Amino acid sequence: MRRARYVAAAAAAALAATALSSCGSSTEPKNTIKVAYQRVPDDNVRIMDNYLGLVKDQFEKANPGKHVQLIPITAAENDYYAKLQQMMRSPKTAPDLVYEDTFLINSDIKAGYLRPLDGYLSSWPAWNQFVDTAKAAARAQDGRTYGVPDGTDTRGLWFNKDIFTKAGLPTDWQPKDWNDILTAARTVKAKVPGVIPLNLYTGKAPGEAAVMQGFEMLAYGTGADPLYDPQTQKWVRSSKGFSDALDFVRTVYTEKLGPDISDALDPNIQPVVGTEWIPSGKLAIDLDGSWLGNNWIKTGGKPWPQWSQVMGTAAMPTQNGQAPGEVSMSGGWTWAIPARAQHPDIAWDFIRTLQSEPNAAEYDIRSANIAVRKDVAADHGYLSSMPGIGFFTKLVRYTHYRPALPAYPQVSTAIGAAMEAVSTGQSSTAAAARAYDQQLSSITAGAVETAR
């Protein structure tokens, strides 16, 4: 299905104008904090909108005279990052609280956009409830913490059992290596025409959906760290694992096992996958996140009562089935206070309300997040909230995290460009890897090394 695309310049200008005008209003009461967050285009459910509205009401009732102004930024992922950074540059436009992707923390600190929260955290008993991996994701290179995480996620393979039955594939499918995935996709293509065999996000426009959920799910399953060497503190030139991951992407698209390339390169492909292709039986296998089922619950964007019977889950295997046999990637978002916030103390009070145990559990249930608080992870309501939550929680033991370094956003863009080049057939795997190496050296000022 073809989707209308944004006109980039017009969209950027409109979004910037909307965000800046909202943030620059002089009509709000004196003790008003401005809370900026992403609203995904085509998101009819608006989980974050509804959740923040709930907490806003709680906060204002408990704190007479203090107010919360919600500033949704409707944009695809990369555009959201750009708009948020634009807002944080000036005291006139900086929100008091922002929803910050963990992989941007160090680059935004380097740009002077965020303030450390250690002074607040040291006197907040609930901070002890947060698991160490979540705390580490919000900790910067300078050793200080710049955000309070609200959940994490893992990634694996979702597959349609009805389509698998038509294709003669097992409904308890658990691929052992990459070849098993390609074999299943080729079987679907041959035996169930009109169905997309495999969705693997790719290209520049989908941003981290392609790089993290697509490429890195492959690359981290090849054995060696494919991007950054923490011992030498250098970025790694394209290794064999890097090239093998690119070659898998190329195979999916040159064999037409994936979506039509015009759909694959749409920045808004994620909601299309979750609310259109999968519920309508148009997609057999999807490499995606633990949150996907949230689209299909009663309050989701596409309520689908049968989904827990129709959809199966499988761990993403390592390239050749080598130990540990499975691989996942995890990320997460935090609530962070900009360096130029006008009301940081009130913003901190709002964070504490957002991340009280009942509210944290409520959000993780609504958003199908994996809990980062120990008390929430033990909550019966959370544990019974979503079919498959136990499966995706177990993948944490196999998970990897992106290098949360200032250069990573640019490195990610370079990887997306390499993926797009091989997906469209504009470049061979070898040529795309060489182009990546050239960009990597420039991005990191030569802080690179050859893969071991």
Side-chain angles (χ1 to χ4, degrees):
M1 179 180 296
R2 297 182 182 277
R3 304 281 295 176
R5 300 182 182 276
Y6 285 113
V7 179
L15 285 166
T18 299
L20 295 178
S21 63
S22 296
C23 207
S25 172
S26 60
T27 60
E28 64 267 3
K30 182 178 180 181
N31 289 327
T32 296
I33 60 166
K34 302 163 186 174
V35 180
Y37 61 98
Q38 182 189 20
R39 177 187 288 161
V40 178
D42 297 332
D43 179 6
N44 297 320
V45 185
R46 297 189 175 174
I47 293 169
M48 183 63 83
D49 288 345
N50 295 332
Y51 172 68
L52 289 178
L54 171 74
V55 179
K56 165 184 158 71
D57 291 343
Q58 288 181 13
F59 183 80
E60 292 179 343
K61 184 176 181 180
N63 297 274
K66 296 179 181 178
H67 304 274
V68 178
Q69 179 186 352
L70 301 179
I71 304 176
I73 301 175
T74 303
E77 197 167 74
N78 286 347
D79 287 335
Y80 170 70
Y81 300 148
K83 303 310 167 288
L84 198 59
Q85 290 167 341
Q86 183 180 16
M87 293 168 72
M88 290 192 290
R89 288 173 188 161
S90 168
K92 294 182 180 180
T93 57
D96 297 285
L97 191 61
V98 297
Y99 201 44
E100 177 91 358
D101 196 323
T102 52
F103 94 98
L104 285 175
I105 282 179
N106 277 293
S107 59
D108 281 352
I109 293 167
K110 186 176 180 180
Y113 295 151
L114 301 177
R115 68 175 64 208
L117 303 181
D118 301 80
Y120 295 118
L121 294 170
S122 63
S123 59
W124 186 38
W127 189 234
N128 293 325
Q129 288 289 344
F130 287 75
V131 298
D132 290 341
T133 51
K135 290 181 177 180
R139 190 180 303 123
Q141 287 178 291
D142 64 8
R144 296 185 289 182
T145 300
Y146 287 79
V148 174
D150 68 348
T152 190
D153 46 44
T154 55
R155 287 152 179 80
L157 294 160
W158 294 81
F159 62 95
N160 187 301
K161 296 179 183 178
D162 291 345
I163 296 175
F164 268 45
T165 298
K166 292 177 183 177
L169 294 167
T171 56
D172 60 351
W173 183 63
Q174 296 291 320
K176 301 301 182 184
D177 54 27
W178 290 2
N179 188 59
D180 282 354
I181 299 173
L182 292 175
T183 297
R186 289 165 180 152
T187 301
V188 169
K189 181 181 178 181
K191 296 187 177 182
V192 192
V195 167
I196 300 168
L198 171 63
N199 176 54
L200 174 70
Y201 295 110
T202 190
K204 293 178 290 186
E208 284 297 278
V211 176
M212 182 186 185
Q213 290 179 212
F215 178 84
E216 291 177 17
M217 282 290 289
L218 295 162
Y220 279 91
T222 62
D225 189 329
L227 299 180
Y228 182 78
D229 186 338
Q231 294 183 338
T232 62
Q233 297 185 353
K234 291 184 178 181
W235 292 86
V236 182
R237 294 187 183 92
S238 57
S239 60
K240 182 180 184 302
F242 186 101
S243 295
D244 287 350
L246 272 186
D247 200 49
F248 186 96
V249 175
R250 183 196 61 79
T251 298
V252 169
Y253 285 93
T254 57
E255 291 190 18
K256 299 190 181 303
L257 301 175
D260 183 270
I261 194 64
S262 63
D263 292 326
L265 300 181
D266 190 322
N268 300 306
I269 186 175
Q270 287 189 86
V272 176
V273 169
T275 63
E276 296 182 26
W277 291 351
I278 292 179
S280 61
K282 294 181 179 179
L283 176 59
I285 307 168
D286 181 32
L287 178 54
D288 222 309
S290 51
W291 61 86
L292 199 59
N294 203 51
N295 290 292
W296 312 318
I297 60 178
K298 290 181 180 179
T299 56
K302 184 69 174 181
W304 182 21
Q306 300 81 19
W307 78 268
S308 60
Q309 288 76 48
V310 175
M311 297 303 295
T313 53
M316 179 68 182
T318 52
Q319 182 178 14
N320 299 305
Q322 72 272 27
E326 301 175 4
V327 65
S328 181
M329 294 294 300
S330 288
W333 291 69
T334 69
W335 288 106
I337 300 177
R340 297 176 178 86
Q342 298 298 303
H343 305 291
D345 291 342
I346 302 176
W348 170 250
D349 288 340
F350 191 66
I351 289 178
R352 292 195 305 168
T353 304
L354 282 167
Q355 280 299 305
S356 67
E357 191 277 335
N359 283 342
E362 180 69 22
Y363 180 68
D364 286 340
I365 290 170
R366 289 184 181 214
S367 62
N369 259 356
I370 292 177
V372 293
R373 287 184 58 136
K374 290 173 276 190
D375 48 7
V376 174
D379 183 270
H380 175 73
Y382 163 77
L383 290 172
S384 60
S385 64
M386 182 75 67
I389 193 71
F391 166 80
F392 281 104
T393 300
K394 289 179 181 178
L395 294 181
V396 171
R397 75 185 76 171
Y398 305 113
T399 207
H400 299 264
Y401 291 85
R402 296 163 289 183
L405 300 169
Y408 178 78
Q410 292 175 276
V411 173
S412 173
T413 299
I415 293 172
M419 295 180 76
E420 186 163 323
V422 299
S423 298
T424 58
Q426 295 177 348
S427 177
S428 67
T429 297
R434 287 195 298 271
Y436 169 78
D437 286 345
Q438 292 173 354
Q439 293 182 65
L440 185 66
S441 183
S442 176
I443 290 168
T444 64
V448 297
E449 66 182 20
T450 302
R452 298 174 185 175

